[in-house]
Amino acid sequence: MRLSEEFQILIVLGKSGSGKGTQVELLQRKFGFQVVSSGNLLRTRMVQDDFVGERIRELIGKGILVPTPIIFHLWLHRFEELREQENLKGIIFEGSPRKVYEAKLLDEVLPFYQLEGNVRVLYINVSDQEATKRLLERARSDDDKQAIQERLRWYQEEVVPVIDYYREKGLLIEVNGEKSVEAINEEIVGKLRL
């Protein structure tokens, strides 16, 4: 129920292939923060054998984004669970919010859960070329060149305005994502003063 004195919220944004997941994992291990990942929440929810689980499976199977209110519903359940934890050190949002609309909803809801704390936004910046190279090397089934270009186009349209939104609020910390995993992590920890 009680937050630790150094409680903070860290939002981690970056293109597919920027290394967000790796850095979130390192930060979680190092500092004991809890992770809120829309992807993980959706994967957990879609295995339930009911209407909502089936609809999520269907949309994800077709490569269609699940509507923000559904994702937000999952976030709220996660906030309720986290709020019950004793001495919560921090929360990391991995790859969300993905739209300015989501960022504004988050601004509105965090005070309700008394989680507004110390919010900072980490932007792991990589070029389109670097992201494409990494995604092709990763070679997942959904990572052909055309699909990657579509994801990068969507990122430019939807996520870049979120980065600008947080930059204007003075919350953005930008790191160069084209270095080694260790060097990126060192830069993150240094800039966040964790």
Side-chain angles (χ1 to χ4, degrees):
M1 303 265 230
R2 217 166 35 80
L3 302 178
S4 79
E5 286 185 23
E6 63 279 354
F7 174 82
Q8 56 190 293
I9 287 184
L10 182 59
I11 294 166
V12 182
L13 300 174
K15 294 174 180 131
S16 292
S18 65
K20 291 187 303 290
T22 303
Q23 294 302 328
V24 165
E25 213 172 283
L26 290 171
L27 291 168
Q28 181 187 21
R29 273 203 306 247
K30 203 177 269 189
F31 301 106
F33 288 6
Q34 295 294 323
V35 175
V36 175
S37 159
S38 298
N40 288 346
L41 290 170
L42 286 168
R43 280 187 285 277
T44 301
R45 185 62 184 86
M46 75 186 207
V47 298
Q48 291 182 37
D49 195 18
D50 59 10
F51 176 80
V52 173
E54 195 177 307
R55 282 294 285 146
I56 293 171
R57 279 195 303 276
E58 191 183 316
L59 292 178
I60 289 175
K62 290 178 181 171
I64 298 169
L65 288 176
V66 174
T68 292
I70 305 303
I71 290 171
F72 228 78
H73 177 71
L74 299 175
W75 281 10
L76 297 181
H77 277 288
R78 184 77 176 116
F79 292 157
E80 286 175 33
E81 289 170 6
L82 292 174
R83 208 58 195 84
E84 293 306 313
Q85 288 188 10
E86 198 61 48
N87 214 24
L88 182 65
K89 291 180 180 166
I91 298 173
I92 302 176
F93 285 89
E94 184 185 340
S96 292
R98 306 166 305 168
K99 300 175 180 180
V100 173
Y101 164 49
E102 291 179 1
K104 289 182 174 175
L105 278 174
L106 195 57
D107 287 348
E108 202 175 316
V109 88
L110 287 175
F112 174 82
Y113 289 101
Q114 296 178 334
L115 289 172
E116 60 272 38
N118 185 3
V119 178
R120 288 185 290 169
V121 182
L122 176 64
Y123 169 39
I124 303 175
N125 193 358
V126 297
S127 66
D128 284 2
Q129 293 81 354
E130 180 65 18
T132 302
K133 181 170 93 60
R134 289 181 186 179
L135 291 168
L136 288 171
E137 281 168 4
R138 204 160 76 184
R140 283 190 342 213
S141 58
D142 62 344
D143 282 340
D144 64 38
K145 220 163 189 158
Q146 192 179 341
I148 290 168
Q149 282 174 341
E150 184 54 35
R151 279 155 78 184
L152 291 172
R153 184 194 62 72
W154 176 84
Y155 176 86
Q156 191 63 37
E157 283 176 15
E158 298 287 355
V159 184
V160 168
V162 176
I163 291 164
D164 293 340
Y165 172 77
Y166 285 124
R167 184 179 279 120
E168 283 165 27
K169 291 183 83 167
L171 300 175
L172 198 75
I173 294 164
E174 189 170 335
V175 297
N176 175 1
E178 297 191 16
K179 302 184 293 188
S180 71
V181 168
E182 297 74 24
I184 295 165
N185 191 254
E186 208 172 292
E187 187 181 345
I188 289 169
V189 172
K191 284 188 170 175
L192 291 175
R193 294 184 194 86
L194 290 170

